[in-house]
Amino acid sequence: MEALVTLGLVGNIVQFVDFSGKLISKSIQLYHSYDGALAENVGVEAAAKHLMVLNKKLKDGATTAGDKALQTLCLSCQNAAIDLLVALDKVKVKDRQQKWESVRKALRSVWSKEEIKGLEDRLAKFKEDLSLYIVVDLRYLCHFRVSATLTIYGLQRASLPVQAGAFR
């Protein structure tokens, strides 16, 4: 029985050392970072902001075209991006070179890692949905234009013999 207790204690110590190592590493990263953000979050934040810009263009086009389904999808995507940016802002150091704030934000970053990952996944899902919607919409438009072109071509071709015979 003592062996199991010892094993449990060793496991807890290893978890504590691992957690402390992550906390110290992230604190140092935040303390020395130029923009007060962790390197792992900088790319995510840039991608979310870029997606918001593209999403706004899509939403404006959907509003002009009167496409309510695309407008709703764009609004959901925008809300997901805002939620992610707010969560990332909460783990960003505002006052550079503040040791305790760096430690606090690093601790919050470790604790909210799963939340941020979930928000990233949610935004990625909306991005996929938008891409699929656009592909299907483009396919429909291409099919419609090809059908219209073939119809016009067929009408022109059908009228050629009539016109040719009229000039004889």
Side-chain angles (χ1 to χ4, degrees), residues 56-126:
K56 181 172 179 356
K57 290 179 183 178
L58 263 177
K59 187 177 177 208
D60 292 345
T63 302
T64 303
D67 190 343
K68 296 289 184 190
L70 184 56
Q71 287 176 6
T72 303
L73 189 57
C74 288
L75 183 62
S76 298
C77 181
Q78 178 184 353
N79 291 336
I82 289 171
D83 290 346
L84 177 59
L85 290 173
V86 166
L88 290 173
D89 194 53
K90 287 180 182 177
V91 297
K92 202 183 251 190
V93 175
K94 306 294 187 263
D95 298 324
R96 285 194 60 213
Q97 305 297 321
Q98 296 291 323
K99 290 180 184 177
W100 286 113
E101 185 178 2
S102 297
V103 171
R104 279 196 325 262
K105 295 298 181 166
L107 186 59
R108 179 173 280 206
S109 175
V110 170
W111 282 342
S112 62
K113 184 174 185 157
E114 292 299 317
E115 176 193 0
I116 291 173
K117 179 68 177 141
L119 290 170
E120 283 180 59
D121 293 344
R122 185 173 149 222
L123 187 60
K125 172 82 171 81
F126 282 120

Side-chain angles (χ1 to χ4, degrees), residues 3-90:
L4 291 176
V5 171
T6 305
L7 186 61
L9 180 62
V10 169
N12 288 340
I13 291 171
V14 168
Q15 281 182 330
F16 179 75
V17 169
D18 180 53
F19 178 78
S20 299
K22 288 178 183 176
L23 182 63
I24 291 169
S25 172
K26 289 182 187 288
S27 297
I28 291 170
Q29 224 182 77
L30 284 169
Y31 183 74
H32 291 297
S33 72
Y34 175 74
D35 53 0
L38 293 170
E40 63 198 49
N41 294 343
V42 172
V44 173
E45 183 178 359
K49 287 180 178 178
H50 182 68
L51 187 59
M52 282 188 68
V53 169
L54 295 176
N55 186 55
K56 181 172 179 356
K57 290 179 183 178
L58 263 177
K59 187 177 177 208
D60 292 345
T63 302
T64 303
D67 190 343
K68 296 289 184 190
L70 184 56
Q71 287 176 6
T72 303
L73 189 57
C74 288
L75 183 62
S76 298
C77 181
Q78 178 184 353
N79 291 336
I82 289 171
D83 290 346
L84 177 59
L85 290 173
V86 166
L88 290 173
D89 194 53
K90 287 180 182 177

